[in-house]
Amino acid sequence: MAGNKDQRKPSWLSEHPFVNIALWSVAAIVLFILFLLILGGFDFRKPTFESIRTAIDPKHVTPAIAMLGIIPATGALVLKYQDELRNRADEERKNRDERRNEFSAALERIGSGGSAMSRLAGVHTLVAAADKYPKEYQDETVRILCAYLRSYHSKDDSVIESAVLESLRNHYAKDAQPSWSGHRLDLHGATIGNPFDFDGCEFNKTVNLDGATFEQDFRLADCSFKKLATRGTIFCQDPQISDPIINESWDIRLSESSAKNLTITRGIIGKIRISDASCPLSFDACTVKSIDIQKQETINSIEIKRGTINSINAEYHGTINSINAKYRRTINSINAEYHGTINSINVGRLGTIESINVGLRGTINSIEVDSGFIESINAGRYGTIGSIGVDGGVFGSIGVRLGAIESIDIQEQGAIDSIKIQEHGHVPLIKTCGGIGSLMIYGGVDELEMTGGVIHAFYPSANNGIKKLDLRGGRVALLIKPQDFELDVQNQNRVIRTVSLMTAITAPVLGSA
């Protein structure tokens, strides 16, 4: 009873019509007199009977009545406007309830065990509602369609899955109206039985394909992403990815994928973070800021065909089995640090690597250059390089500071601008029949063997002398000899010019007065 009374809350005026009429009449009389006084110029600060009689003038009766009539007219308009708003709100509420009921019915159709046609109609109804009322249902529709793909559905639902994929693809297209590109595409853990073809799409939020399985063709051509995640993704066939633009990062882990190769063509990618990749990764005409191998992970091979990779980093027990830089491709830097391991680096025809850095306990087992170019190689603190082979390629410089290079082998068409082995560096074998611009040895070299070629400037340290020096097939254009460094007769005959270290230090600069 108390609840009903609180809900009604009647006014005492509404229960006494005579009192209401009397009050409105008194109010009208008072306002009428007030308007007459105002129109007559009555001074409310000095009210007297005479001033009241003087202010009331019969000629002001008509204007006062007109002013009095404005009040109920205005009130009527206000009440009418409030009624209109109330009717509109009721109508909108009714329409919204109808739309929600229709949306819920479509959702029930998709999840029901009814016929395929009924569920297919549910998908189309759901998408149509999102297109017609994007603010209400667009985000929810995307999440529902992704949830359907992630959920278990039998192979009999192939038609439904195909319709869902088509709806997503059409609305993520770059020219889609309306567009769903501002919504996250989350297919983690989904199993897609139909071909996955999202060519020409735009994704302004993260695309999450972690743990998803793609049983048939996987195509991403001319797509732009903010961020792409394929950790634990299983490609049953080789994925086809071309012209992608990935602004932030691409996370890759393909340990369970049966794909034989992952090839990215003409891509522009910010950062690639690789956890594991049992299949080779191939970049053809791509531009990538960095490829980072995550800690304690192993990569089969990275191949760069044309294009540019700014840096490849193997750190903290990360392993790369091979890096291949082929025709017209550029890698700005390769870094193996803190127990990072790179088994082999191969630079082919017209390939370029600006720098290779082996840092704290990093390891590179072999570096091979065939008609390519490496600007510099540096073996730092406890860094190790197994072997460097140059066959028709060019090195800018090799620096060994606190690290070690097991062997340097320069073939007939190979060339190295400079090799500098610091006091604590170590190279057991330098073998060359090519060209070395300058060879400076402050550290340990067990053996230097020349079977051909030219060393244009050679400075051997007396304190850490070369254990075995054999110049039988090559030439030394200039030997800068410390005071206590001597060559035997056979090797001395291969030296074109010899100067003492003191002479080289005090020699005047060419062109000076």
Side-chain angles (χ1 to χ4, degrees), residues 143-196:
R143 289 189 288 107
I144 289 171
L145 295 181
C146 290
Y148 172 82
L149 294 175
R150 293 197 306 268
S151 64
Y152 171 78
H153 49 278
S154 67
K155 295 189 180 295
D156 296 336
D157 289 340
S158 177
V159 175
I160 314 301
E161 182 186 91
S162 178
V164 171
L165 289 172
E166 183 180 6
S167 298
L168 290 170
R169 179 176 62 249
N170 290 343
H171 287 84
Y172 277 105
K174 292 181 178 180
D175 56 353
Q177 291 296 333
S179 173
W180 293 355
S181 62
H183 300 279
R184 191 168 184 259
L185 183 65
D186 186 1
L187 300 181
H188 75 275
T191 298
I192 309 298
N194 282 274
F196 189 86

Side-chain angles (χ1 to χ4, degrees), residues 27-69:
I29 293 170
V30 172
L31 287 173
F32 175 71
I33 295 172
L34 183 61
F35 290 148
L36 285 177
L37 294 174
I38 292 173
L39 292 173
F42 177 71
D43 189 357
F44 289 92
R45 292 173 297 181
K46 298 179 181 180
T48 62
F49 178 78
E50 183 63 26
S51 62
I52 293 174
R53 188 182 64 80
T54 304
I56 297 175
D57 191 338
K59 67 180 181 180
H60 294 145
V61 172
T62 301
I65 293 174
M67 292 176 67
L68 190 63

Side-chain angles (χ1 to χ4, degrees), residues 252-299:
I252 298 176
R253 186 176 73 239
L254 303 176
S255 56
E256 299 180 13
S257 181
S258 58
K260 296 180 179 178
N261 192 43
L262 174 60
T263 301
I264 302 94
T265 306
R266 298 180 301 276
I268 301 175
I269 305 170
K271 176 184 287 188
I272 297 178
R273 292 191 290 248
I274 305 177
S275 299
D276 192 3
S278 56
C279 65
L281 304 179
S282 180
F283 299 89
D284 187 356
C286 292
T287 299
V288 181
K289 288 184 179 179
S290 68
I291 299 177
D292 296 339
I293 312 306
Q294 302 300 294
K295 64 181 182 179
Q296 299 181 339
E297 299 296 347
T298 300
I299 307 305

Side-chain angles (χ1 to χ4, degrees), residues 308-311 330-334 352-356:
T308 300
I309 308 293
N310 285 348
S311 66
T330 299
I331 301 174
N332 290 342
S333 68
I334 297 176
T352 300
I353 298 176
E354 291 189 0
S355 68
I356 298 175

Side-chain angles (χ1 to χ4, degrees), residues 24 28 31 35 64-80:
W24 279 109
L31 287 173
F35 290 148
I65 293 174
M67 292 176 67
L68 190 63
I70 292 174
I71 296 175
T74 303
L77 289 174
V78 171
L79 292 175
K80 185 177 181 180

